Amino acid sequence: GKALLWRFKEMADRAAARPVFYHASPRWMIDYLDIGLSLLKLGEEARVPLAEFSLDGSRRAKLRQSRARAERDGLSFEIALPPHAGERMAELRAISDAWLMSHGGAEKGFSLGRFDPAALAREPLALVRAQGRIVAFANVWTGGREEASIDLMRHPPDAPNGVMDFLFVELMLWAKDQGFAWFNLGMAPLSGLAEHRLAPLWHKIGAQI
């Protein structure tokens, strides 16, 4: 509880660092304030209600067309369950390294997942293949049976156009078929900010951005 929060703040102080909690739970808001932290809204979680999700109708026409195009281009989707063979992990490592090189060369690892073979080896993996070669992957989080999500998603620089759209559509259809109620797409940056003349300055700056 609060003792752990104070301990974390003490450790940050010894390291001349500033403590930050990302995806802060409303349950602990008062405790965050009590240890001297302030609240800053960065956005909101994007959660898809899967009972209502389908590719039917005019609203889903672009997704339906994107999926059909991907299938015509020879893309296929699969969920690979652990344990994962060393050859597969090596292939995913090569994809991840190529992705990192095209995005600055280093893991971020704070608000985004990092390539951790030990963690990935224990989780289901969503794979997109083109002519047998993996061209995109993501790990799948399935805590309980209520919500599915992903943490890490990577593809090589030469992946076909639309490969991540295809992966997300197939993942949500799979999660719906598995009985999950929600699919969590993670943080939608700068969403849900107040639009009012008396709104905090940060909200006004975020709205302009």
Side-chain angles (χ1 to χ4, degrees):
K2 188 176 293 187
L4 185 59
L5 294 179
W6 277 114
R7 183 182 175 198
F8 177 62
K9 187 172 183 179
E10 290 165 357
M11 293 173 66
D13 182 66
R14 288 197 296 270
R18 300 172 67 181
V20 174
F21 291 89
Y22 181 69
H23 274 213
S25 168
R27 175 185 175 189
W28 299 101
M29 288 300 181
I30 299 301
D31 294 308
Y32 295 144
L33 294 174
D34 285 347
I35 69 169
L37 302 184
S38 57
L39 305 179
L40 182 65
K41 184 172 184 177
L42 299 178
E44 295 180 340
E45 276 191 328
R47 300 173 77 223
V48 178
L50 294 175
E52 306 167 12
F53 181 75
S54 79
L55 300 185
D56 299 329
S58 58
R59 291 180 57 199
R60 306 293 187 194
K62 289 186 177 180
L63 288 181
R64 191 167 58 248
Q65 292 163 7
S66 176
R67 184 194 194 200
R69 183 168 56 251
E71 290 176 338
R72 286 197 303 271
D73 290 342
L75 298 186
S76 63
F77 173 86
E78 67 181 274
I79 294 290
L81 300 177
H84 303 293
E87 293 83 357
R88 173 175 291 157
M89 296 305 295
E91 186 175 4
L92 299 187
R93 166 70 80 178
I95 293 171
S96 177
D97 289 347
W99 186 92
L100 286 171
M101 288 302 296
S102 66
H103 289 78
E107 295 276 12
K108 303 300 185 291
F110 177 69
S111 61
L112 301 171
R114 63 171 57 242
F115 191 92
D116 181 346
L120 293 176
R122 299 190 298 267
E123 299 168 347
L125 298 174
L127 308 177
V128 177
R129 296 182 183 273
Q131 286 76 51
R133 171 195 172 212
I134 297 176
V135 292
F137 74 91
N139 62 330
V140 185
W141 282 357
T142 57
R145 299 300 302 172
E146 178 71 15
E147 182 176 270
S149 184
I150 65 173
D151 181 45
L152 177 75
M153 47 186 174
R154 299 273 160 96
H155 61 79
D158 63 346
N161 291 333
V163 66
M164 297 311 295
D165 291 341
F166 179 67
L167 184 147
F168 270 107
V169 168
E170 293 294 335
L171 253 179
M172 286 188 281
L173 291 174
W174 170 84
K176 178 180 180 179
D177 185 61
Q178 294 296 307
F180 290 96
W182 298 89
F183 192 89
N184 192 319
L185 293 167
M187 175 69 74
L190 304 181
S191 64
L193 301 182
E195 296 182 8
H196 191 281
R197 67 183 182 84
L198 299 178
L201 178 60
W202 162 244
H203 286 235
K204 294 177 180 178
I205 293 172
Q208 288 299 314
I209 293 174

